[in-house]
Each structure stands twice: as C-alpha cells, then as structure tokens.
Amino acid sequence: MAARKKILITGAAGFLGSHLCDFYVKKDFHVIAMDNLITGRLENIEHLFPLDNFEFCNHDVTNFIHVTGKLDYILHFASPASPIDYLKIPIQTLKVGSLGIHNCLGLAKAKNARLLVASTSEVYGDPEVHPQTESYWGHVNPVGPRGVYDEAKRFQEAITMAYHTFHGLETRIVRIFNTYGPRMRLNDGRVLPAFIGQALRGEDLTIFGDGSQTRSFCYVDDLVEGIYRLLLSDCTEPVNIGNPSEISIGDFAEEIIKLTGTDQKVIYKDLPVDDPKQRQPDITKAKVLLNWEPQIDREEGLKRTHAYFKSLPKDELTTTAHYNFDKYIIR
Ligand code: UDP
C-alpha cells in the first residue's frame, strides 16, 4: 500500500480549517492540524481525534514550526478572518500573515512540500472593478481598520510568489470570497451568524448602512472542493474561489427572516469604516483551469447552516450576542 500523503493544515480548528481537516481525513491523507486556538475551537475538530490519520498540534505558527518526517502539502489557513476579530487582535493578524506564512514557506522549502495559502477577496479592498477578476490590483486603505487583514493577506501573496520565483517552491494562492456554513462562530460579527443568531434569539436583525452593499456567498463544501482542485492543479497565479450569486445585505436579511420564520424586523446601524460597497467573484479562471464551479445554491446552503445553528445548545446562543462595534463604526 502506498504511504499516505501528509498534509499540514494551519488554522485547523477554525471554520474553514476544520472543514478542510474533514475533507483530507476522508481522502485518507495524514492530517496534522495546527492551531493556537485564539479564534479556533477544538469542538470543530474533536470528532477527528480518535482517527489514526489525524493529529492535533497546539502551536502558534508565528513561532518556528517543527514537523518530523516527510511532508507533502501545507495549507496555510491560520488567521483571524472577521472584521470584529481583526479589530480585537490586529497585531496577531499582521503577524500570522507575515511571520506565520514565512515559517510555513520555510518549512515547505525544507520538506520540498507544496504550499497553498489562503488569500481573500479583501485584497481587492472596496473594489472599483465589478465583478472582481484576478487581474484587478485592488483599492485598499492600508491604515483603516481592515488594513491589518487586507495588507497581511497582500503580503502573504507577495512572499508566496517570491518563494515560488526565487526558490522554485510549488505554491498556490486562493482568493476566497465570503463563505458560510456550519461551524461559523456565532460571535465573530460576520453577517450570516449575526443575522441567524439574532433571529434565533428573537432580536431584530442589524443592517449596517442602508443594506445596499452586496456580497456573494459560497457554501463551504463548494469552497473546499475548489481548494482541493487548485492544490492539485499547476496554477501558481492567484485564483478566485467563490459563488458569483450576488445579493444586497438588505435582501439577505429578508432571506434569513423567511428562512428562520422569525417575526423580527430589521434595524439600521452606521456602516463600518471602509466596508466594501460591492463584491462578486469573476470565476472564469476557476471554471477554465480547475473545471470548478459552485454546486450548492444559497437556498440549500442556508437550510444546512440554519440546521447547524438550531442544533447548538441554548446557552451558546444567548451568551454570544453582543459586541461593541463603537470603535469599528465611525461614519
Ligand atoms: N453586516 C450587517 N449586519 C451585521 C453584520 C454585518 O449589515 O450584523 C454587513 C457588513 O457591514 C458588510 C456585510 O454585512 O457590509 C458583510 O459583512 P461580513 O462581516 O460578514 O463580511 P465582509 O464585510 O468582510 O465581507
């Protein structure tokens, strides 16, 4: 029997990381799941602990990373990933996107492993090109509240490309657009858990701004499949992975109200600083190069996600409700 492929997943206890762990364990890879549990949760991966092709390593990737024996692949997914998180821990956000990726690249070079890094639609900032193609360079405010995340991700792309061109390292860069599904944290401030949490608690849904800003939501299983195809492809340029089905946040709130059957209303709050007005991936490249496009529409994806949030213990729903957005919202 051929030896199992070995893959290191950083940020493994987070929303995306944990779904990647499930996927690669099922594919019979040996998965090393690394996380320092600042924003990740062990509950997301504890069902994998008994398996012999899974191991968990509690480690902060901004420090030297040691892995014994061979290593075939690295997926660098460690990072706070919501505006509320990176507002709370801006320095860690910058460190994991700079020191963290540097350690991962050094490890990949030492082991001759292929590295895929999680980038984001945030590299396009508040985009002036719509939909966003990979050739667009973006419109980012480096010193605004989102700058710590956006610039860390842009640096990640730059250093990853430099290791590819200078050291000949096998690298892949995925630009991930808004993704949703089970295991999103109720208190991460992102719009989907915020709205569903509010609906389930019987609170009004908070729309920031007038709700005309748009996003395009991709179900997590589709994203994981796209990442898998990109990793195995020979495409070293960045590739958008996301669902092009675009919706305004106002209409999205209405969809959640219908889905949850709540009789709550929407209320309007100030728009966060530098909140992108529109976002929609152009996925032509993924379609052509990876033969990938999303399979799960929003109706089905939201049904599955709603079922997950409904299954959470009641006290989890009630203790995670309220954030202080005051520092984040200026206009
Ligand atoms: N949003 C909202 N109400 C909330 C949380 C978010 O209207 O309770 C808005 C937010 O201002 C943004 C959109 O929903 O325009 C998506 O926000 P999220 O934080 O999920 O993702 P990102 O802005 O990073 O795409």
Side-chain angles (χ1 to χ4, degrees):
M1 202 181 78
R4 275 180 176 138
K5 294 284 184 200
K6 199 161 156 189
I7 188 165
L8 168 67
I9 301 176
T10 76
F15 163 50
L16 297 182
S18 67
H19 285 278
L20 289 165
C21 287
D22 282 341
F23 182 90
Y24 284 97
V25 158
K26 239 182 247 155
K27 289 250 179 243
D28 203 34
F29 282 59
H30 183 91
V31 174
I32 305 173
M34 195 168 276
D35 207 299
N36 64 355
L37 304 176
I38 290 189
T39 57
R41 304 185 322 152
L42 276 186
E43 291 90 321
N44 289 340
I45 48 172
E46 64 189 358
H47 58 286
L48 300 172
F49 278 43
L51 303 177
D52 73 349
N53 62 334
F54 180 84
E55 56 184 293
F56 174 67
C57 182
N58 186 341
H59 181 68
D60 177 346
V61 293
T62 65
N63 300 315
F64 184 85
I65 307 168
H66 177 72
V67 170
T68 31
K70 71 150 194 166
L71 188 61
D72 300 292
Y73 299 106
I74 300 175
L75 303 182
H76 183 47
F77 275 68
S79 177
S82 80
I84 289 303
D85 283 345
Y86 40 82
L87 185 83
K88 267 194 282 193
I89 42 174
I91 312 296
Q92 283 98 325
T93 305
L94 282 158
K95 282 174 74 180
V96 76
S98 51
L99 307 177
I101 183 67
H102 189 213
N103 287 332
C104 288
L105 286 162
L107 177 66
K109 184 162 146 277
K111 300 283 183 182
N112 200 19
R114 180 178 294 191
L115 177 142
L116 180 147
V117 64
S119 189
T120 165
S121 54
E122 284 284 330
V123 300
Y124 303 122
D126 188 2
E128 293 156 316
V129 166
H130 193 74
Q132 292 77 56
T133 50
E134 288 89 346
S135 56
Y136 177 50
W137 291 353
H139 178 222
V140 171
N141 175 5
V143 293
R146 288 174 180 255
V148 294
Y149 183 66
D150 299 5
E151 295 297 357
K153 291 290 184 179
R154 288 167 70 96
F155 175 82
Q156 280 200 155
E157 291 198 10
I159 192 170
T160 299
M161 200 46 92
Y163 266 72
H164 172 67
T165 49
F166 188 70
H167 291 303
L169 193 73
E170 283 276 10
T171 56
R172 307 290 181 264
I173 299 171
V174 58
R175 291 189 180 149
I176 299 172
F177 283 67
N178 293 67
T179 303
Y180 69 99
R183 302 188 193 145
M184 292 186 93
R185 256 179 32 233
L186 265 171
N187 65 347
D188 78 358
R190 276 183 285 194
V191 67
L192 183 136
F195 282 174
I196 292 194
Q198 286 161 341
L200 292 178
R201 288 188 299 269
E203 297 166 8
D204 291 332
L205 277 61
T206 51
I207 291 182
F208 297 163
D210 63 5
S212 63
Q213 72 272 35
T214 67
R215 295 294 185 271
S216 307
F217 297 97
C218 183
Y219 190 68
V220 63
D221 289 3
D222 280 331
L223 180 92
V224 166
E225 177 65 31
I227 287 166
Y228 176 64
R229 291 187 190 202
L230 177 60
L231 182 67
L232 298 186
S233 77
D234 54 12
C235 184
T236 55
E237 298 291 320
V239 179
N240 289 340
I241 298 284
N243 190 323
S245 168
E246 185 183 11
I247 186 171
S248 74
I249 294 303
D251 288 348
F252 189 58
E254 292 306 324
E255 279 193 2
I256 301 291
I257 286 174
K258 217 165 119 201
L259 172 81
T260 54
T262 179
D263 47 18
Q264 299 305 127
K265 303 273 171 292
V266 299
I267 52 171
Y268 294 89
K269 294 199 164 183
D270 290 342
L271 190 69
V273 175
D274 298 338
D275 196 290
K277 285 180 270 310
Q278 51 182 359
R279 186 180 288 152
Q280 182 190 33
D282 181 317
I283 57 164
T284 309
K285 210 165 161 182
K287 277 186 185 162
V288 172
L289 297 178
L290 312 177
N291 191 25
W292 175 88
E293 62 182 313
Q295 303 297 317
I296 299 161
D297 64 15
R298 215 170 37 246
E299 192 180 350
E300 173 60 25
L302 285 180
K303 233 190 268 166
R304 296 187 199 178
T305 310
H306 181 216
Y308 165 78
F309 282 117
K310 268 201 311 197
S311 74
L312 293 176
K314 267 244 144 22
D315 57 334
E316 201 164 324
L317 269 181
T318 46
T319 52
T320 51
H322 304 287
Y323 334 99
N324 180 3
F325 285 105
D326 292 354
K327 263 170 72 184
Y328 177 50
I329 298 169
I330 301 179
R331 64 171 185 237

mmCIF file with all atom_site columns, all heavy atoms in Angstrom, residues 29-49:
data_model
loop_
_atom_site.group_PDB
_atom_site.id
_atom_site.type_symbol
_atom_site.label_atom_id
_atom_site.label_alt_id
_atom_site.label_comp_id
_atom_site.label_asym_id
_atom_site.label_entity_id
_atom_site.label_seq_id
_atom_site.pdbx_PDB_ins_code
_atom_site.Cartn_x
_atom_site.Cartn_y
_atom_site.Cartn_z
_atom_site.occupancy
_atom_site.B_iso_or_equiv
_atom_site.pdbx_formal_charge
_atom_site.auth_seq_id
_atom_site.auth_comp_id
_atom_site.auth_asym_id
_atom_site.auth_atom_id
_atom_site.pdbx_PDB_model_num
ATOM 1   N N   . PHE A 1 29 ? -5.597  11.169 3.652  1.00 0.00 ? 29 PHE A N   1
ATOM 2   C CA  . PHE A 1 29 ? -4.318  11.829 3.915  1.00 0.00 ? 29 PHE A CA  1
ATOM 3   C C   . PHE A 1 29 ? -4.012  11.667 5.408  1.00 0.00 ? 29 PHE A C   1
ATOM 4   O O   . PHE A 1 29 ? -4.918  11.445 6.215  1.00 0.00 ? 29 PHE A O   1
ATOM 5   C CB  . PHE A 1 29 ? -4.418  13.335 3.625  1.00 0.00 ? 29 PHE A CB  1
ATOM 6   C CG  . PHE A 1 29 ? -4.362  13.696 2.170  1.00 0.00 ? 29 PHE A CG  1
ATOM 7   C CD1 . PHE A 1 29 ? -5.299  13.209 1.265  1.00 0.00 ? 29 PHE A CD1 1
ATOM 8   C CD2 . PHE A 1 29 ? -3.386  14.568 1.699  1.00 0.00 ? 29 PHE A CD2 1
ATOM 9   C CE1 . PHE A 1 29 ? -5.261  13.566 -0.080 1.00 0.00 ? 29 PHE A CE1 1
ATOM 10  C CE2 . PHE A 1 29 ? -3.338  14.936 0.356  1.00 0.00 ? 29 PHE A CE2 1
ATOM 11  C CZ  . PHE A 1 29 ? -4.271  14.431 -0.535 1.00 0.00 ? 29 PHE A CZ  1
ATOM 12  N N   . HIS A 1 30 ? -2.728  11.829 5.782  1.00 0.00 ? 30 HIS A N   1
ATOM 13  C CA  . HIS A 1 30 ? -2.422  12.001 7.197  1.00 0.00 ? 30 HIS A CA  1
ATOM 14  C C   . HIS A 1 30 ? -2.455  13.507 7.470  1.00 0.00 ? 30 HIS A C   1
ATOM 15  O O   . HIS A 1 30 ? -1.684  14.268 6.879  1.00 0.00 ? 30 HIS A O   1
ATOM 16  C CB  . HIS A 1 30 ? -1.048  11.427 7.552  1.00 0.00 ? 30 HIS A CB  1
ATOM 17  C CG  . HIS A 1 30 ? -0.783  11.543 9.022  1.00 0.00 ? 30 HIS A CG  1
ATOM 18  N ND1 . HIS A 1 30 ? -1.104  10.556 9.918  1.00 0.00 ? 30 HIS A ND1 1
ATOM 19  C CD2 . HIS A 1 30 ? -0.292  12.575 9.753  1.00 0.00 ? 30 HIS A CD2 1
ATOM 20  C CE1 . HIS A 1 30 ? -0.818  10.954 11.138 1.00 0.00 ? 30 HIS A CE1 1
ATOM 21  N NE2 . HIS A 1 30 ? -0.318  12.183 11.071 1.00 0.00 ? 30 HIS A NE2 1
ATOM 22  N N   . VAL A 1 31 ? -3.351  13.932 8.353  1.00 0.00 ? 31 VAL A N   1
ATOM 23  C CA  . VAL A 1 31 ? -3.562  15.366 8.593  1.00 0.00 ? 31 VAL A CA  1
ATOM 24  C C   . VAL A 1 31 ? -2.917  15.791 9.908  1.00 0.00 ? 31 VAL A C   1
ATOM 25  O O   . VAL A 1 31 ? -3.202  15.228 10.965 1.00 0.00 ? 31 VAL A O   1
ATOM 26  C CB  . VAL A 1 31 ? -5.077  15.690 8.637  1.00 0.00 ? 31 VAL A CB  1
ATOM 27  C CG1 . VAL A 1 31 ? -5.313  17.145 9.041  1.00 0.00 ? 31 VAL A CG1 1
ATOM 28  C CG2 . VAL A 1 31 ? -5.722  15.401 7.279  1.00 0.00 ? 31 VAL A CG2 1
ATOM 29  N N   . ILE A 1 32 ? -2.009  16.782 9.809  1.00 0.00 ? 32 ILE A N   1
ATOM 30  C CA  . ILE A 1 32 ? -1.513  17.441 11.028 1.00 0.00 ? 32 ILE A CA  1
ATOM 31  C C   . ILE A 1 32 ? -2.278  18.752 11.142 1.00 0.00 ? 32 ILE A C   1
ATOM 32  O O   . ILE A 1 32 ? -2.145  19.645 10.299 1.00 0.00 ? 32 ILE A O   1
ATOM 33  C CB  . ILE A 1 32 ? -0.006  17.736 10.957 1.00 0.00 ? 32 ILE A CB  1
ATOM 34  C CG1 . ILE A 1 32 ? 0.775   16.465 10.656 1.00 0.00 ? 32 ILE A CG1 1
ATOM 35  C CG2 . ILE A 1 32 ? 0.479   18.378 12.255 1.00 0.00 ? 32 ILE A CG2 1
ATOM 36  C CD1 . ILE A 1 32 ? 2.254   16.716 10.399 1.00 0.00 ? 32 ILE A CD1 1
ATOM 37  N N   . ALA A 1 33 ? -3.104  18.845 12.165 1.00 0.00 ? 33 ALA A N   1
ATOM 38  C CA  . ALA A 1 33 ? -3.968  20.014 12.353 1.00 0.00 ? 33 ALA A CA  1
ATOM 39  C C   . ALA A 1 33 ? -3.307  20.944 13.365 1.00 0.00 ? 33 ALA A C   1
ATOM 40  O O   . ALA A 1 33 ? -3.115  20.571 14.519 1.00 0.00 ? 33 ALA A O   1
ATOM 41  C CB  . ALA A 1 33 ? -5.333  19.558 12.860 1.00 0.00 ? 33 ALA A CB  1
ATOM 42  N N   . MET A 1 34 ? -2.934  22.142 12.918 1.00 0.00 ? 34 MET A N   1
ATOM 43  C CA  . MET A 1 34 ? -2.226  23.069 13.808 1.00 0.00 ? 34 MET A CA  1
ATOM 44  C C   . MET A 1 34 ? -3.088  24.293 14.081 1.00 0.00 ? 34 MET A C   1
ATOM 45  O O   . MET A 1 34 ? -3.705  24.847 13.171 1.00 0.00 ? 34 MET A O   1
ATOM 46  C CB  . MET A 1 34 ? -0.913  23.481 13.131 1.00 0.00 ? 34 MET A CB  1
ATOM 47  C CG  . MET A 1 34 ? 0.075   24.143 14.037 1.00 0.00 ? 34 MET A CG  1
ATOM 48  S SD  . MET A 1 34 ? 1.694   24.260 13.219 1.00 0.00 ? 34 MET A SD  1
ATOM 49  C CE  . MET A 1 34 ? 2.394   22.657 13.562 1.00 0.00 ? 34 MET A CE  1
ATOM 50  N N   . ASP A 1 35 ? -3.142  24.699 15.341 1.00 0.00 ? 35 ASP A N   1
ATOM 51  C CA  . ASP A 1 35 ? -3.936  25.875 15.710 1.00 0.00 ? 35 ASP A CA  1
ATOM 52  C C   . ASP A 1 35 ? -3.475  26.342 17.085 1.00 0.00 ? 35 ASP A C   1
ATOM 53  O O   . ASP A 1 35 ? -3.094  25.516 17.920 1.00 0.00 ? 35 ASP A O   1
ATOM 54  C CB  . ASP A 1 35 ? -5.452  25.514 15.759 1.00 0.00 ? 35 ASP A CB  1
ATOM 55  C CG  . ASP A 1 35 ? -6.334  26.714 15.479 1.00 0.00 ? 35 ASP A CG  1
ATOM 56  O OD1 . ASP A 1 35 ? -6.257  27.683 16.257 1.00 0.00 ? 35 ASP A OD1 1
ATOM 57  O OD2 . ASP A 1 35 ? -7.081  26.699 14.494 1.00 0.00 ? 35 ASP A OD2 1
ATOM 58  N N   . ASN A 1 36 ? -3.520  27.659 17.317 1.00 0.00 ? 36 ASN A N   1
ATOM 59  C CA  . ASN A 1 36 ? -3.212  28.138 18.675 1.00 0.00 ? 36 ASN A CA  1
ATOM 60  C C   . ASN A 1 36 ? -4.480  28.487 19.449 1.00 0.00 ? 36 ASN A C   1
ATOM 61  O O   . ASN A 1 36 ? -4.418  28.988 20.567 1.00 0.00 ? 36 ASN A O   1
ATOM 62  C CB  . ASN A 1 36 ? -2.260  29.345 18.646 1.00 0.00 ? 36 ASN A CB  1
ATOM 63  C CG  . ASN A 1 36 ? -2.878  30.547 17.966 1.00 0.00 ? 36 ASN A CG  1
ATOM 64  O OD1 . ASN A 1 36 ? -3.976  30.473 17.433 1.00 0.00 ? 36 ASN A OD1 1
ATOM 65  N ND2 . ASN A 1 36 ? -2.182  31.666 17.986 1.00 0.00 ? 36 ASN A ND2 1
ATOM 66  N N   . LEU A 1 37 ? -5.621  28.234 18.832 1.00 0.00 ? 37 LEU A N   1
ATOM 67  C CA  . LEU A 1 37 ? -6.936  28.347 19.470 1.00 0.00 ? 37 LEU A CA  1
ATOM 68  C C   . LEU A 1 37 ? -7.274  29.759 19.933 1.00 0.00 ? 37 LEU A C   1
ATOM 69  O O   . LEU A 1 37 ? -8.054  29.947 20.865 1.00 0.00 ? 37 LEU A O   1
ATOM 70  C CB  . LEU A 1 37 ? -7.052  27.336 20.638 1.00 0.00 ? 37 LEU A CB  1
ATOM 71  C CG  . LEU A 1 37 ? -6.801  25.875 20.243 1.00 0.00 ? 37 LEU A CG  1
ATOM 72  C CD1 . LEU A 1 37 ? -6.831  24.958 21.457 1.00 0.00 ? 37 LEU A CD1 1
ATOM 73  C CD2 . LEU A 1 37 ? -7.832  25.397 19.207 1.00 0.00 ? 37 LEU A CD2 1
ATOM 74  N N   . ILE A 1 38 ? -6.727  30.767 19.280 1.00 0.00 ? 38 ILE A N   1
ATOM 75  C CA  . ILE A 1 38 ? -7.135  32.144 19.612 1.00 0.00 ? 38 ILE A CA  1
ATOM 76  C C   . ILE A 1 38 ? -8.556  32.390 19.089 1.00 0.00 ? 38 ILE A C   1
ATOM 77  O O   . ILE A 1 38 ? -9.419  32.885 19.801 1.00 0.00 ? 38 ILE A O   1
ATOM 78  C CB  . ILE A 1 38 ? -6.174  33.197 18.992 1.00 0.00 ? 38 ILE A CB  1
ATOM 79  C CG1 . ILE A 1 38 ? -4.814  33.153 19.683 1.00 0.00 ? 38 ILE A CG1 1
ATOM 80  C CG2 . ILE A 1 38 ? -6.762  34.598 19.139 1.00 0.00 ? 38 ILE A CG2 1
ATOM 81  C CD1 . ILE A 1 38 ? -3.903  34.306 19.274 1.00 0.00 ? 38 ILE A CD1 1
ATOM 82  N N   . THR A 1 39 ? -8.789  32.041 17.839 1.00 0.00 ? 39 THR A N   1
ATOM 83  C CA  . THR A 1 39 ? -10.156 32.167 17.319 1.00 0.00 ? 39 THR A CA  1
ATOM 84  C C   . THR A 1 39 ? -10.732 30.794 16.930 1.00 0.00 ? 39 THR A C   1
ATOM 85  O O   . THR A 1 39 ? -11.934 30.684 16.715 1.00 0.00 ? 39 THR A O   1
ATOM 86  C CB  . THR A 1 39 ? -10.218 33.107 16.082 1.00 0.00 ? 39 THR A CB  1
ATOM 87  O OG1 . THR A 1 39 ? -9.319  32.612 15.080 1.00 0.00 ? 39 THR A OG1 1
ATOM 88  C CG2 . THR A 1 39 ? -9.854  34.533 16.441 1.00 0.00 ? 39 THR A CG2 1
ATOM 89  N N   . GLY A 1 40 ? -9.889  29.780 16.827 1.00 0.00 ? 40 GLY A N   1
ATOM 90  C CA  . GLY A 1 40 ? -10.366 28.425 16.511 1.00 0.00 ? 40 GLY A CA  1
ATOM 91  C C   . GLY A 1 40 ? -10.955 27.765 17.746 1.00 0.00 ? 40 GLY A C   1
ATOM 92  O O   . GLY A 1 40 ? -10.726 28.200 18.883 1.00 0.00 ? 40 GLY A O   1
ATOM 93  N N   . ARG A 1 41 ? -11.730 26.686 17.512 1.00 0.00 ? 41 ARG A N   1
ATOM 94  C CA  . ARG A 1 41 ? -12.382 25.985 18.630 1.00 0.00 ? 41 ARG A CA  1
ATOM 95  C C   . ARG A 1 41 ? -12.180 24.493 18.473 1.00 0.00 ? 41 ARG A C   1
ATOM 96  O O   . ARG A 1 41 ? -12.490 23.920 17.425 1.00 0.00 ? 41 ARG A O   1
ATOM 97  C CB  . ARG A 1 41 ? -13.881 26.275 18.657 1.00 0.00 ? 41 ARG A CB  1
ATOM 98  C CG  . ARG A 1 41 ? -14.196 27.773 18.721 1.00 0.00 ? 41 ARG A CG  1
ATOM 99  C CD  . ARG A 1 41 ? -15.671 28.043 18.881 1.00 0.00 ? 41 ARG A CD  1
ATOM 100 N NE  . ARG A 1 41 ? -16.486 27.112 18.124 1.00 0.00 ? 41 ARG A NE  1
ATOM 101 C CZ  . ARG A 1 41 ? -17.721 26.759 18.459 1.00 0.00 ? 41 ARG A CZ  1
ATOM 102 N NH1 . ARG A 1 41 ? -18.272 27.231 19.545 1.00 0.00 ? 41 ARG A NH1 1
ATOM 103 N NH2 . ARG A 1 41 ? -18.409 25.938 17.708 1.00 0.00 ? 41 ARG A NH2 1
ATOM 104 N N   . LEU A 1 42 ? -11.694 23.852 19.555 1.00 0.00 ? 42 LEU A N   1
ATOM 105 C CA  . LEU A 1 42 ? -11.438 22.403 19.479 1.00 0.00 ? 42 LEU A CA  1
ATOM 106 C C   . LEU A 1 42 ? -12.706 21.610 19.144 1.00 0.00 ? 42 LEU A C   1
ATOM 107 O O   . LEU A 1 42 ? -12.632 20.559 18.518 1.00 0.00 ? 42 LEU A O   1
ATOM 108 C CB  . LEU A 1 42 ? -10.853 21.905 20.800 1.00 0.00 ? 42 LEU A CB  1
ATOM 109 C CG  . LEU A 1 42 ? -9.340  22.061 20.979 1.00 0.00 ? 42 LEU A CG  1
ATOM 110 C CD1 . LEU A 1 42 ? -8.891  21.404 22.269 1.00 0.00 ? 42 LEU A CD1 1
ATOM 111 C CD2 . LEU A 1 42 ? -8.576  21.479 19.783 1.00 0.00 ? 42 LEU A CD2 1
ATOM 112 N N   . GLU A 1 43 ? -13.854 22.135 19.550 1.00 0.00 ? 43 GLU A N   1
ATOM 113 C CA  . GLU A 1 43 ? -15.126 21.448 19.249 1.00 0.00 ? 43 GLU A CA  1
ATOM 114 C C   . GLU A 1 43 ? -15.263 21.175 17.748 1.00 0.00 ? 43 GLU A C   1
ATOM 115 O O   . GLU A 1 43 ? -15.912 20.213 17.345 1.00 0.00 ? 43 GLU A O   1
ATOM 116 C CB  . GLU A 1 43 ? -16.340 22.302 19.666 1.00 0.00 ? 43 GLU A CB  1
ATOM 117 C CG  . GLU A 1 43 ? -16.529 22.482 21.148 1.00 0.00 ? 43 GLU A CG  1
ATOM 118 C CD  . GLU A 1 43 ? -15.800 23.714 21.673 1.00 0.00 ? 43 GLU A CD  1
ATOM 119 O OE1 . GLU A 1 43 ? -14.661 23.990 21.206 1.00 0.00 ? 43 GLU A OE1 1
ATOM 120 O OE2 . GLU A 1 43 ? -16.352 24.384 22.552 1.00 0.00 ? 43 GLU A OE2 1
ATOM 121 N N   . ASN A 1 44 ? -14.653 22.017 16.925 1.00 0.00 ? 44 ASN A N   1
ATOM 122 C CA  . ASN A 1 44 ? -14.789 21.848 15.474 1.00 0.00 ? 44 ASN A CA  1
ATOM 123 C C   . ASN A 1 44 ? -14.068 20.611 14.945 1.00 0.00 ? 44 ASN A C   1
ATOM 124 O O   . ASN A 1 44 ? -14.375 20.135 13.853 1.00 0.00 ? 44 ASN A O   1
ATOM 125 C CB  . ASN A 1 44 ? -14.219 23.083 14.739 1.00 0.00 ? 44 ASN A CB  1
ATOM 126 C CG  . ASN A 1 44 ? -15.092 24.309 14.910 1.00 0.00 ? 44 ASN A CG  1
ATOM 127 O OD1 . ASN A 1 44 ? -16.263 24.185 15.244 1.00 0.00 ? 44 ASN A OD1 1
ATOM 128 N ND2 . ASN A 1 44 ? -14.522 25.484 14.681 1.00 0.00 ? 44 ASN A ND2 1
ATOM 129 N N   . ILE A 1 45 ? -13.073 20.137 15.698 1.00 0.00 ? 45 ILE A N   1
ATOM 130 C CA  . ILE A 1 45 ? -12.284 19.008 15.177 1.00 0.00 ? 45 ILE A CA  1
ATOM 131 C C   . ILE A 1 45 ? -12.199 17.824 16.143 1.00 0.00 ? 45 ILE A C   1
ATOM 132 O O   . ILE A 1 45 ? -11.573 16.825 15.826 1.00 0.00 ? 45 ILE A O   1
ATOM 133 C CB  . ILE A 1 45 ? -10.837 19.448 14.811 1.00 0.00 ? 45 ILE A CB  1
ATOM 134 C CG1 . ILE A 1 45 ? -10.189 20.263 15.941 1.00 0.00 ? 45 ILE A CG1 1
ATOM 135 C CG2 . ILE A 1 45 ? -10.809 20.213 13.495 1.00 0.00 ? 45 ILE A CG2 1
ATOM 136 C CD1 . ILE A 1 45 ? -8.717  20.549 15.714 1.00 0.00 ? 45 ILE A CD1 1
ATOM 137 N N   . GLU A 1 46 ? -12.864 17.924 17.293 1.00 0.00 ? 46 GLU A N   1
ATOM 138 C CA  . GLU A 1 46 ? -12.657 16.874 18.293 1.00 0.00 ? 46 GLU A CA  1
ATOM 139 C C   . GLU A 1 46 ? -13.171 15.512 17.820 1.00 0.00 ? 46 GLU A C   1
ATOM 140 O O   . GLU A 1 46 ? -12.661 14.482 18.250 1.00 0.00 ? 46 GLU A O   1
ATOM 141 C CB  . GLU A 1 46 ? -13.236 17.255 19.667 1.00 0.00 ? 46 GLU A CB  1
ATOM 142 C CG  . GLU A 1 46 ? -14.722 17.427 19.699 1.00 0.00 ? 46 GLU A CG  1
ATOM 143 C CD  . GLU A 1 46 ? -15.197 18.026 21.024 1.00 0.00 ? 46 GLU A CD  1
ATOM 144 O OE1 . GLU A 1 46 ? -14.365 18.260 21.910 1.00 0.00 ? 46 GLU A OE1 1
ATOM 145 O OE2 . GLU A 1 46 ? -16.405 18.262 21.142 1.00 0.00 ? 46 GLU A OE2 1
ATOM 146 N N   . HIS A 1 47 ? -14.120 15.506 16.880 1.00 0.00 ? 47 HIS A N   1
ATOM 147 C CA  . HIS A 1 47 ? -14.621 14.231 16.354 1.00 0.00 ? 47 HIS A CA  1
ATOM 148 C C   . HIS A 1 47 ? -13.534 13.498 15.555 1.00 0.00 ? 47 HIS A C   1
ATOM 149 O O   . HIS A 1 47 ? -13.662 12.309 15.286 1.00 0.00 ? 47 HIS A O   1
ATOM 150 C CB  . HIS A 1 47 ? -15.856 14.468 15.470 1.00 0.00 ? 47 HIS A CB  1
ATOM 151 C CG  . HIS A 1 47 ? -15.595 15.391 14.319 1.00 0.00 ? 47 HIS A CG  1
ATOM 152 N ND1 . HIS A 1 47 ? -15.447 16.750 14.461 1.00 0.00 ? 47 HIS A ND1 1
ATOM 153 C CD2 . HIS A 1 47 ? -15.440 15.138 12.996 1.00 0.00 ? 47 HIS A CD2 1
ATOM 154 C CE1 . HIS A 1 47 ? -15.216 17.302 13.279 1.00 0.00 ? 47 HIS A CE1 1
ATOM 155 N NE2 . HIS A 1 47 ? -15.196 16.346 12.367 1.00 0.00 ? 47 HIS A NE2 1
ATOM 156 N N   . LEU A 1 48 ? -12.471 14.193 15.174 1.00 0.00 ? 48 LEU A N   1
ATOM 157 C CA  . LEU A 1 48 ? -11.400 13.560 14.387 1.00 0.00 ? 48 LEU A CA  1
ATOM 158 C C   . LEU A 1 48 ? -10.294 12.974 15.277 1.00 0.00 ? 48 LEU A C   1
ATOM 159 O O   . LEU A 1 48 ? -9.451  12.211 14.801 1.00 0.00 ? 48 LEU A O   1
ATOM 160 C CB  . LEU A 1 48 ? -10.790 14.586 13.416 1.00 0.00 ? 48 LEU A CB  1
ATOM 161 C CG  . LEU A 1 48 ? -11.763 15.202 12.394 1.00 0.00 ? 48 LEU A CG  1
ATOM 162 C CD1 . LEU A 1 48 ? -11.102 16.336 11.618 1.00 0.00 ? 48 LEU A CD1 1
ATOM 163 C CD2 . LEU A 1 48 ? -12.245 14.118 11.420 1.00 0.00 ? 48 LEU A CD2 1
ATOM 164 N N   . PHE A 1 49 ? -10.294 13.350 16.554 1.00 0.00 ? 49 PHE A N   1
ATOM 165 C CA  . PHE A 1 49 ? -9.199  12.940 17.450 1.00 0.00 ? 49 PHE A CA  1
ATOM 166 C C   . PHE A 1 49 ? -8.981  11.428 17.507 1.00 0.00 ? 49 PHE A C   1
ATOM 167 O O   . PHE A 1 49 ? -7.832  10.984 17.580 1.00 0.00 ? 49 PHE A O   1
ATOM 168 C CB  . PHE A 1 49 ? -9.417  13.515 18.867 1.00 0.00 ? 49 PHE A CB  1
ATOM 169 C CG  . PHE A 1 49 ? -8.959  14.947 19.001 1.00 0.00 ? 49 PHE A CG  1
ATOM 170 C CD1 . PHE A 1 49 ? -9.237  15.886 18.022 1.00 0.00 ? 49 PHE A CD1 1
ATOM 171 C CD2 . PHE A 1 49 ? -8.230  15.360 20.103 1.00 0.00 ? 49 PHE A CD2 1
ATOM 172 C CE1 . PHE A 1 49 ? -8.821  17.205 18.124 1.00 0.00 ? 49 PHE A CE1 1
ATOM 173 C CE2 . PHE A 1 49 ? -7.794  16.682 20.219 1.00 0.00 ? 49 PHE A CE2 1
ATOM 174 C CZ  . PHE A 1 49 ? -8.096  17.601 19.222 1.00 0.00 ? 49 PHE A CZ  1
#
